[in-house]
Amino acid sequence: MTDDAVLDPPPVRPLWLWTLADLALLLIGFFVLVQATDRRALAKGLREGFGVAAPETPPEPIPLAAAAVAFAIGSAAPQSPVTLIDFATVNLRDPRASLRVSGGTSGAGDVDPATGSADLLATDRARAIVSYLIANGVAAHRIRIAPAGTGRRNALVTVSFTGDPADRTRP
């Protein structure tokens, strides 16, 4: 053995190999999380691990598509909701979807004639659309009334992804 051989560094693994191993472990951890069977318990455990309190209300559903129905000023009678049934039928084929209906008012003079309230008129518009949908065969448990909006004289019907019906019934 020569003096020069003592000063040579020993052979080591390349740095990219360590990085690849770290990436592989992170990927395995990700797949374990994705394949978890009880996602609510997993989410609860992760929240507890990070010291975050569980949300008091469920998160808002993810909106996918929307349709609007027009109204006359001061009226809660829809002008032409005929295409709404086709919209609801097509979009509710997936059992994970639901409808959210929110009424709206345009502001100036667009108020309930009896009470002078724009919020009451917006709610009446949403209720009129929900009644129309239910009367035409849409299941009532697939429809929710959302808070009233302002700015437009219509009722907005939004198709939302609400998840697997079996997951919604679990405590």
Side-chain angles (χ1 to χ4, degrees):
M1 188 169 198
T2 65
D3 290 337
D4 291 337
V6 174
L7 298 176
D8 289 336
V12 294
R13 293 188 178 103
L15 183 59
W16 66 266
L17 188 59
W18 290 110
T19 307
L20 183 64
D22 290 339
L23 181 63
L25 286 174
L26 286 173
L27 194 58
I28 289 172
F30 172 74
F31 284 128
V32 167
L33 290 176
V34 168
Q35 294 298 322
T37 56
D38 191 358
R39 293 171 197 239
R40 291 182 192 269
L42 176 65
K44 180 182 175 194
L46 288 173
R47 276 193 300 272
E48 289 173 357
F50 286 103
V52 177
E56 292 182 19
T57 59
E60 289 294 316
I62 302 167
L64 301 174
V69 178
F71 290 85
I73 292 177
S75 172
Q79 289 182 341
S80 58
V82 177
T83 59
L84 193 57
I85 297 302
D86 293 335
F87 174 80
T89 305
V90 167
N91 287 295
L92 290 180
R93 286 183 184 151
D94 188 345
R96 302 172 297 171
S98 65
L99 297 178
R100 290 175 42 104
V101 181
S102 63
T105 57
S106 62
D110 194 22
V111 294
D112 182 53
T115 62
S117 170
D119 289 336
L120 185 59
L121 179 60
T123 304
D124 286 344
R125 287 175 174 170
R127 290 178 55 220
I129 295 301
V130 169
S131 296
Y132 178 79
L133 289 169
I134 292 172
N136 285 285
V138 178
H141 71 276
R142 308 273 308 267
I143 306 172
R144 299 284 181 260
I145 294 181
T150 58
R152 296 206 171 152
R153 196 174 57 245
N154 65 9
L156 186 65
V157 180
T158 307
V159 177
S160 300
F161 178 77
T162 51
D164 188 10
D167 288 343
R168 290 194 302 267
T169 58
R170 288 185 198 164

